[in-house]
Structures are given as C-alpha cells and as structure tokens.
C-alpha cells in the first residue's frame, strides 16, 4: 500500500460512489433496487464493471453464463489465477453493497497492484457473478455454478415470473445456452478464490471490529411448499372447512419454533393465498422455505422433523401438501491457507491481532466456487447487520481498511508462492 491514507480514503469514497452508480440500474421506482440475471440492467452493470476492470489494467470478457470477468497477468503470461469477486445481482428492494462491494473491492485491489507494477506469481482475475441470489429463476448461484462446472442443464427449463425460460433468457442476453459449459474453469487454472462481502449480520459491529474472517458458509436448502384445502364461502361453519391459510399459518409458526429449538435459521419469505378474496376460505397457499445450518446433517434432520409436523398439521385439518426443492447448496468450510492470508491482511491494516472468525449464515458464490478451488472470505462490518434492505450501510473508513486488508491478503498469498513458477503451470 504505497498511497497515503488520504489516497486510500479517496479510493474508498470512489468505490462507494461506484456502488451508488450501480444502484441506479434497477427495475424498481423510487430509488429501490432490484437487478436480476440476464436483463438489460445486468447488461448495463456488466458494461460498467468491464470499464472499471479495463481501467485497472485487466483484459475483460463476459463468459458463457453472463459473468463479467477481468484478468491481469502475473510475472509471466498464462499463470494460474487467484480469482477475486462477488456478485452484481440483487434481491428485490435490496441494499447497494451486498455483492457489489465485493466486486468493486476486488477491482480496486487489482488496480493498486497493477499501478504499483508488482510482479505476482499468479495472475489476478476478477469475476462479477450474474446470479448469486436466484431472484429471477428461483435457483441461486447460477453464474458461479457455471464457472465451477456444476451447472445442471435441466435448469435451462427454469422459468421466471413471466414464464420466460432460462434458455430463452440466455438467448435474449445474446448467449447460447448450448455453450454454457464453456464458462466452466479448470481447477488447475486457479490458485484460489477470495471474496470480500458485507457481513449481513450484527457480530462485527457488536465486537467493534471493522473486519472479520469467514470460518464456513452455512449450507442452505430452499423449498416451494403448496398447502391444498378447499375454497368455500366464508359463511361455512368451522367444522366443515379445509382452510389452507389457517393450516399454512400453523405451519409457518411451527417452522419458526422447530428451527429456533434446534438452533438453526429458517425463513418463510414468500406466501401466496388463492383465491385471495375477503369472503372466500383459502383453498390453496403457496409458501417458500429457506433453511440453513452450519452443518448439513443437522439441517437435514430439522427438515425431516418439519415435514413430519407439516404432515400431522395437514392430517388434523383435512389438508394435503406438496413440496418441491428449489435450491440446495451444501455448507462449505473456508481454506485454512487462504484464511491465513485474509488474517494477515486484517492484522496488518486493522491492527487486529486476533481477527474475529464468523460463520456466514448468508450464502455466497464461494459455495459454488468451492467445488473448483479453495475459497476464503473477508467480512466487512455493516450497520446493524442490516442487509437485503435499502437501509444497508457501510462506513467509508471500513471500506478503506477492507480494501487495504484485501490487497495485503493477495500479497501475503503471493509471498507464499515462489516467483520462479513451474513452466508446466503456465496455461498453454
Ligand atoms: O440468501 C443469501 O443468503 C444470499 O444473500 N444469497
Ligand atoms: Mn444477498
Ligand atoms: Mn451476497
């Protein structure tokens, strides 16, 4: 880090200004943010990110899955790359830092290393993933799974709320779904993956620390549950009803009680009532379930307890239910070697000799990339732990120290790898 604190503070402010610039690409009015995969908003932010990557000295391309990529060669051309990145897509009514801050921090670090002319024993690549949240097609990590080579072609038939298939969306975006496999990276082309991300939790703030290290990312499973009863007149006596909403309501509170009792996290974020009329007993309810835990086996045990309870609630009320799993991402442990580099970066910049280790209850692209290479994550404090909300906020001073720490993590990794690189490693 050769610049003065002012320079780096400026780079934090310019980085935050870029977050504001990207926030304008949204399909929602009144300054709310919703930006989803393979849309004009996605195309626009890829172009902006590509420009910033090029300014940082990178060659840029968009991969076959619509992820925006950039590369800065190491000491010799063709070396395996250290991959840095995060995502540019959002949930509905999102904050402006979830994912976005990680992409811009990665670009800022490459910019600094390029400007300083530091010869590294690996190339640096930045990837701006196009679909971490799964907002449009319901299944998350589509971009990072394509990069990891774990994309399932049956997902091409997934549809969005307008019935557009993922296959059609690729075509509209100018991509050919048949070539999605071209986005897959080969394991030996990478030396690892580092992601900087807001914590999306309250623990760094409670500990008065700007930065932390992720120990592991909780495994998540998501389900679409349909509760079927019988629609009817709201004058029907109670003992003759099969009320899908009363049943679903009992199910929602049971889910909360079961998960809390087991120390897990469960969220029903979507619930739709049919026919949704004031004087009609609901005949059908569609609800979502997002279930996460540090360990997959404990999550799956709780899921089985939840389905048993749903079965008995429905039997008691004369209802039936269907379940369809929409997402499954196993828990992922971060690499000790890469965590050590993140730790070195934090210690050297935040003056924190014992950087805080945190479980990430939020999911991240690193869960998919972990199938390809080792991963680690740097967490950045966010106010009140608020995320997936317009009130999401980070302090410029935390962004400044995060960028410094991320840069030093990269340099710490470079110091561990001899510059005299084995020619066999150089990609032909
Ligand atoms: O759902 C999550 O945890 C992430 O924000 N996609
Ligand atoms: Mn998110
Ligand atoms: Mn995120």
């Amino acid at each position: 880090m050769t610049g003065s604190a002012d320079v780096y503070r400026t780079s934090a402010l310019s980085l935050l200004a870029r977050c504001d610039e990207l926030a304008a690409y949204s399909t929602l009015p009144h300054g709310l943010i919703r930006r989803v995969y393979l849309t004009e908003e996605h195309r626009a932010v890829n172009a902006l990110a590509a420009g910033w990557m090029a300014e940082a000295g990178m060659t840029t391309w968009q991969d076959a899955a619509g992820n925006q990529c950039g590369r800065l060669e190491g000491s010799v051309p063709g070396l395996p790359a250290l991959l840095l990145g995060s995502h540019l897509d959002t949930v509905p009514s999102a904050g402006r830092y979830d994912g976005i801050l990680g992409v811009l921090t990665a670009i800022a670090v490459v910019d600094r290393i390029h400007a300083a002319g530091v010869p590294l024993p690996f190339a640096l690549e930045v990837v701006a993933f196009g679909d971490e949240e799964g907002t449009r097609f319901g299944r998350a990590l589509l971009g990072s799974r394509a990069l990891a080579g774990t994309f399932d072609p049956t997902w091409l038939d997934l549809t969005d709320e307008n019935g557009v298939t993922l296959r059609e969306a690729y075509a509209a975006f100018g991509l050919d779904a048949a070539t999605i496999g071209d986005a897959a990276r080969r394991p030996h082309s990478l030396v690892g993956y580092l992601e900087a991300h807001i914590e999306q939790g309250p623990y760094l703030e409670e500990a008065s620390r700007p930065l932390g290290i992720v120990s592991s990312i909780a495994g998540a499973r998501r389900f679409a549950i349909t509760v079927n009863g019988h629609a009817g007149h709201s004058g029907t006596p109670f003992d003759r009803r099969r009320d899908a909403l009363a049943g679903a309501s009992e199910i929602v509170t049971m889910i909360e009680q079961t998960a809390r009792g087991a120390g897990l996290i469960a969220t029903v974020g979507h619930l739709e009532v049919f026919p949704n009329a004031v004087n009609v007993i609901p005949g059908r309810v569609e609800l979502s379930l997002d279930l996460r835990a540090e360990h997959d086996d404990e999550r799956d045990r709780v899921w089985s307890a939840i389905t048993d309870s749903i079965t008995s609630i429905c039997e008691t009320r004369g209802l039936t239910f269907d379940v369809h799993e929409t997402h499954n991402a196993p828990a992922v442990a971060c690499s000790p070697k890469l965590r050590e580099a993140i730790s070195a970066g934090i210690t050297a910049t935040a003056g924190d000799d014992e950087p805080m280790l945190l479980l990430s209850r939020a999911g991240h692209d690193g869960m998919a990339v972990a199938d390809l290479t080792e991963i680690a994550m740097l967490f950045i404090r966010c106010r009140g732990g608020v995320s997936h909300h317009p009130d999401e906020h980070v302090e410029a001073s935390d962004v400044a120290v995060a960028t410094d720490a991320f840069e030093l993590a990269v340099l710490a990794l470079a110091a561990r790898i001899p510059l005299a690189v084995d020619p066999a490693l150089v990609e032909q």
Side-chain angles (χ1 to χ4, degrees):
M1 296 149 30
T2 49
S4 71
D6 288 353
V7 164
Y8 290 131
R9 186 171 160 73
T10 309
S11 83
L13 292 177
S14 59
L15 204 155
L16 289 171
R18 287 179 170 179
C19 290
D20 294 340
E21 197 173 341
L22 292 174
Y25 293 89
S26 165
T27 50
L28 295 180
H30 317 309
L32 294 176
I33 306 170
R34 180 185 186 276
R35 183 168 62 243
V36 299
Y37 194 33
L38 304 174
T39 57
E40 287 317 305
E41 296 74 30
H42 177 193
R43 191 191 311 278
V45 297
N46 270 11
L48 271 177
W52 294 329
M53 289 175 178
E55 281 172 20
M58 290 185 254
T59 51
T60 65
W61 70 98
Q62 184 178 268
D63 74 9
N67 301 310
Q68 181 58 48
C69 307
R71 178 181 170 96
L72 179 75
E73 290 301 341
S75 55
V76 294
L79 292 172
L82 176 64
L83 186 60
L84 312 174
S86 194
H87 60 95
L88 291 180
D89 67 304
T90 78
V91 294
S93 191
R96 59 189 60 204
Y97 304 111
D98 171 5
I100 290 94
L101 185 63
V103 171
L104 296 176
T105 302
I107 295 173
V109 164
V110 175
D111 187 29
R112 288 178 177 185
I113 289 172
H114 174 243
V118 178
L120 296 182
F122 41 68
L124 280 179
E125 287 192 17
V126 174
V127 57
F129 289 114
D131 184 60
E132 187 275 338
E133 301 288 3
T135 304
R136 182 174 179 187
F137 294 98
R139 178 169 286 276
L141 308 175
L142 291 177
S144 37
R145 288 222 156 126
L147 179 134
T150 55
F151 185 94
D152 179 339
T154 61
W155 297 343
L156 292 172
D157 297 319
L158 289 171
T159 55
D160 68 8
E161 60 194 358
N162 303 313
V164 176
T165 65
L166 179 54
R167 179 182 289 102
E168 290 160 341
Y170 278 127
F173 199 69
L175 297 170
D176 174 1
T179 65
I180 189 80
D182 297 348
R185 304 299 303 272
R186 285 170 290 177
H188 70 264
S189 71
L190 298 174
V191 296
Y193 173 73
L194 298 183
E195 180 169 356
H197 201 289
I198 54 170
E199 179 198 347
Q200 300 175 301
Y203 302 110
L204 285 175
E205 186 175 65
E206 283 174 6
S208 304
R209 294 169 187 236
L211 305 177
I213 307 171
V214 174
S215 55
S216 65
I217 305 171
R221 291 178 72 180
R222 295 180 188 170
F223 304 91
I225 302 168
T226 304
V227 178
N228 305 295
H230 195 280
H233 195 288
S234 55
T236 307
F238 277 114
D239 60 0
R240 294 166 185 273
R241 293 182 179 207
R242 288 192 284 133
D243 184 333
L245 180 54
S249 308
E250 200 176 331
I251 287 166
V252 172
T253 46
M254 173 276 294
I255 286 172
E256 184 188 48
Q257 283 156 4
T258 308
R260 285 188 89 141
L264 269 66
I265 300 260
T267 308
V268 175
H270 169 86
L271 187 141
E272 223 171 327
V273 182
F274 302 90
N276 199 28
V278 63
N279 58 350
V280 180
I281 299 166
R284 186 174 96 250
V285 169
E286 293 176 358
L287 60 146
S288 66
L289 171 60
D290 174 311
L291 185 63
R292 317 168 172 218
E294 185 171 3
H295 304 292
D296 293 341
D297 54 354
E298 64 179 351
R299 179 201 61 198
D300 297 345
R301 219 179 11 261
V302 169
W303 169 237
S304 138
I306 285 172
T307 41
D308 290 348
S309 302
I310 294 176
T311 304
S312 74
I313 289 167
C314 287
E315 276 167 4
T316 308
R317 288 176 172 270
L319 305 172
T320 62
F321 73 99
D322 306 304
V323 174
H324 165 61
E325 183 164 26
T326 57
H327 172 64
N328 184 329
V332 163
C334 292
S335 139
K337 180 184 78 181
L338 299 184
R339 273 174 33 187
E340 218 179 283
I342 299 269
S343 180
I346 295 175
T347 301
T349 54
D352 187 347
D353 294 338
E354 285 277 316
M356 191 167 174
L357 211 50
L358 304 104
L359 162 69
S360 175
R361 289 172 179 76
H364 302 284
D365 285 303
M367 301 169 94
V369 180
D371 286 333
L372 185 63
T373 187
E374 290 180 287
I375 73 158
M377 290 190 71
L378 170 70
F379 261 179
I380 304 163
R381 172 170 52 187
C382 57
R383 188 173 58 196
V386 169
S387 183
H388 285 191
H389 188 280
D391 290 349
E392 205 173 78
H393 179 82
V394 287
E395 294 302 331
S397 53
D398 287 352
V399 172
V401 75
T403 311
D404 295 351
F406 207 52
E407 180 191 5
L408 286 183
V410 170
L411 297 177
L413 266 181
R416 290 172 60 115
I417 299 175
L419 263 180
V421 177
D422 172 359
L425 271 179
V426 177
E427 207 166 54
Q428 309 311 330

